[in-house]
Amino acid sequence: MTNRLADTLSPYLRAHAENPVDWYPWGEEAFAEAQRRDVPLMISIGYSTCHWCHVMARESFSDPETAAIVNRDFVAVKVDREEHPEVDGAYMAAASAFTQNLGWPLTVFATPRGRTFFAGTYWPPDSRPPMPSFREVLAAVQEGWTQRRAQAEESADAVIEALARAAETTPSDLPDAAALAGAASAIADREDPQHGGFGGAPKFPVATVLRFLQAPLVRRQNAAAADAGRRALSAMAASDLRDDVGGGFFRYATQRDWTVPHYERMLTDNAQLLDVALDDGDEVTVRGIAGFLIDVLEREGGGFGAAQDSESWIDGERSEGGYYLRDAAGRQGLEPPAVDGKVITGWNGLAIGALARAGAALGEASWVDAARRAADAVLTTNRDASGALVRASLDGVSSTAVATPSDLGLLADGLFALALATGEATWAIAARGIVDLALDGIAGDPLLSAQGIASSPDQTDGDLPSGSAALAQAALTAWRLGAGERYRDAAASVVHAYAASALSQPFAHGSLLRVAAGLVDPPRQIVVVTDDPAGALAVAARRADADVVGVVSPAQAEEFAAAGFELFAGRSGTEGLAYDCRGFVCLLPVSEPHELSRERVAV
């Protein structure tokens, strides 16, 4: 039996198209059917490279008897969390009322209006005390719905109300340098002194935290915390978490010493760790990650796929990690794990920015070209009929899922980096327009809104920056380029809203704290005006410790200035000079590479 998932955009959903479960994709049709039959929704959320999602699919969703129970008592909805992050976030927040063991696959039981009254993650086909079997869970939920429906609906409404209250924030003052240094210390206190990194098992790369520890303010005010971040990267780069054959990092390690990885390789982790390694001066790791992004994840026509699977076929059987455990010779002749080819807007923004910065810094024009191809692909394909950006595309077909604030913020910041790497103002103009759109406010998932279900109030970082922090960072970058004070004000307003939470839980707010540090420190901005973008002066600028490095021709400087980026104003007639500025106050221009300090200097 082929269900409704065969023609969807998501590879994760398509993988369930032959299940005997009568799946619906996320949409109005499923809600209407649940209301018509007056039965609960069973909403199953996962993603294509999720190992335990595959396991549950094989054990339960492929079993005809289990499927018959699901089809009889529920309307089953399958959701790709990568395509619909707001749906995932809303139901993950609701699930936290029922279980502390959050993760994927996430299984949510909801009223016909989509309000959660019970939830959990993976359940096995047979009971494994204290874990019940999936069939036992189905039976208990069906009994609760039919015998104690009023109680179930009351519980669902209480969850909605609690999440609405949790979304309320109390603005506080912007953190000063001392407060941010203290937050860095709180993070460093969690360092594993034996194996590096933070916390115990399982152990994650936590790239957002590492980026905060690399902030110039932290390096200056709390060198010990910054060193903990360096040790974390060194430990990961030397561990089983890094694929030393194919480049790039796996999702996380199940053991404290970075061994026994969960073998999926994600675009999000690797794009961010590319920036971490670049700032740390680890060129070997930078080149490995860049190679993985371009050689494995880049799609035909441009753009980067979401992830490479942990599983592959070896000797006729599915193997979790077996491919990656082989050396280069051992991988020859094996079919590599599949790539989820979804080109996700914000995730590609991370890759565009990282490859543009690394390519410019290390003189790798092919990396900048890959970033340009991705930017072209996203801006062209990831749009709906009205021209609005959407969440993702696959094989040149755009999704109907709306873009999130995180998508817009991450894409905009990546485009700003591409503008600086290429000297082409058009990318910065496009980025500013995206920031403006996001600051004006964008609609969330329409089905959640129609059912009165708010998006998750959680603005902590997960495997990438929170939506608020991503937008704040893009606004801060726009201000650093001279787009106007309104952008700094926008970044500051986000930090005002979440500063108290960030300082009390710094490990969960690394990206917001990095923005806060950028508001305290005047930015270092270097503009080189030259007709030789590969010359010694340009190379010296790109290797300098600065927040903005732009290498432009006189004509390009004029284009930036004409577009309203004041950092470039008055530079077009000064070929062969470098301007070194702190917060738009500049030293006298220099023409010799040795006159341009690699370190940050006061102005």
Side-chain angles (χ1 to χ4, degrees), residues 21 59-71 125 134-135 138:
V21 175
E59 293 176 341
S60 295
F61 300 145
S62 298
D63 177 62
E65 293 182 5
T66 303
I69 297 170
V70 172
N71 296 339
F134 184 50
R135 288 196 199 180
L138 293 173

Side-chain angles (χ1 to χ4, degrees), residues 24 34 68 70 85 91 171 196 252 256 273 298 370 377 382 419 421 443 480 496 518:
Y24 285 76
V70 172
Y91 284 113
Y252 63 88
R256 179 186 157 200
L273 288 172
E298 187 175 13
N382 288 22
R480 287 171 170 171
H496 274 298

Side-chain angles (χ1 to χ4, degrees), residues 25 67 164 222 228 282 386 390 397 444 464 475 549 561 592-593 603:
N222 194 337
D282 184 350
S386 72
V390 297
V397 179
L464 73 169
V549 177
E592 296 298 327
V603 175

Side-chain angles (χ1 to χ4, degrees), residues 247-319:
F249 288 85
F250 302 115
R251 181 69 190 94
Y252 63 88
T254 62
Q255 304 301 309
R256 179 186 157 200
D257 62 355
W258 298 107
T259 59
V260 195
H262 187 57
Y263 284 100
E264 57 186 325
R265 291 193 288 180
M266 308 293 292
L267 176 60
T268 48
D269 296 323
N270 282 284
Q272 292 175 94
L273 288 172
L274 178 54
D275 272 330
V276 172
L278 180 66
D279 271 13
D280 198 56
D282 184 350
E283 187 171 330
V284 171
T285 298
V286 167
R287 292 188 177 279
I289 296 173
F292 164 65
L293 295 180
I294 295 171
D295 297 340
V296 177
L297 292 189
E298 187 175 13
R299 303 292 86 194
E300 184 177 354
F304 299 94
Q308 187 175 28
D309 208 335
S310 61
E311 294 188 1
S312 63
W313 290 100
I314 298 180
D315 297 330
E317 296 183 354
R318 293 294 286 173
S319 171

Side-chain angles (χ1 to χ4, degrees), residues 405-410 413 461 465-475 511-512 515:
S406 177
D407 286 319
L408 300 188
L410 295 176
D413 208 51
D461 296 334
S466 69
S468 294
L471 180 55
Q473 180 62 61
S511 54
L512 187 88
V515 174

Side-chain angles (χ1 to χ4, degrees), residues 90-314:
Y91 284 113
M92 187 65 74
S96 67
F98 302 95
T99 178
Q100 294 181 338
N101 299 318
L102 297 173
W104 300 276
L106 179 65
T107 310
V108 174
F109 296 95
T111 70
R113 293 184 59 200
R115 300 187 171 204
T116 304
F117 64 88
F118 187 67
T121 53
Y122 164 80
W123 282 297
D126 301 306
S127 62
R128 302 170 189 170
M131 187 184 297
S133 71
F134 184 50
R135 288 196 199 180
E136 289 171 338
V137 171
L138 293 173
V141 171
Q142 198 275 337
E143 179 186 12
W145 177 254
T146 57
Q147 303 298 319
R148 296 178 296 278
R149 177 167 178 169
Q151 183 179 343
E153 291 181 330
E154 181 179 350
S155 174
D157 290 341
V159 170
I160 292 290
E161 293 170 5
L163 292 176
R165 290 192 299 270
E168 299 172 358
T169 60
T170 302
S172 60
D173 293 336
L174 292 177
D176 60 15
L180 292 166
S185 290
I187 291 171
D189 287 344
R190 297 180 59 177
E191 183 183 17
D192 180 341
Q194 183 177 359
H195 300 292
F198 303 96
K203 189 173 281 185
F204 288 80
V206 291
T208 56
V209 168
L210 299 182
R211 292 296 285 146
F212 168 55
L213 296 181
Q214 290 181 321
L217 182 148
V218 175
R219 297 202 310 262
R220 184 181 72 251
Q221 295 282 342
N222 194 337
D227 286 343
R230 293 189 183 97
R231 287 191 291 271
L233 177 65
S234 295
M236 288 188 291
S239 77
D240 292 349
L241 194 71
R242 178 171 174 265
D243 181 7
D244 57 3
V245 176
F249 288 85
F250 302 115
R251 181 69 190 94
Y252 63 88
T254 62
Q255 304 301 309
R256 179 186 157 200
D257 62 355
W258 298 107
T259 59
V260 195
H262 187 57
Y263 284 100
E264 57 186 325
R265 291 193 288 180
M266 308 293 292
L267 176 60
T268 48
D269 296 323
N270 282 284
Q272 292 175 94
L273 288 172
L274 178 54
D275 272 330
V276 172
L278 180 66
D279 271 13
D280 198 56
D282 184 350
E283 187 171 330
V284 171
T285 298
V286 167
R287 292 188 177 279
I289 296 173
F292 164 65
L293 295 180
I294 295 171
D295 297 340
V296 177
L297 292 189
E298 187 175 13
R299 303 292 86 194
E300 184 177 354
F304 299 94
Q308 187 175 28
D309 208 335
S310 61
E311 294 188 1
S312 63
W313 290 100
I314 298 180

Side-chain angles (χ1 to χ4, degrees), residues 541-566:
R542 287 174 173 140
R543 291 179 177 171
D545 181 11
D547 301 290
V548 169
V549 177
V551 177
V552 292
S553 69
Q556 289 174 329
E558 188 170 347
E559 290 172 1
F560 272 97
F565 295 99
E566 292 297 320

Side-chain angles (χ1 to χ4, degrees), residues 1 49 52 60 136 177 238 276 279 329 339 357 387 398 403 413 433 436 449 474 520 531 573:
M1 179 183 79
T49 58
W52 287 103
S60 295
E136 289 171 338
V276 172
D279 271 13
V339 170
R357 284 183 285 267
S398 62
D413 208 51
D436 289 343
S449 299
V520 172
D531 285 321

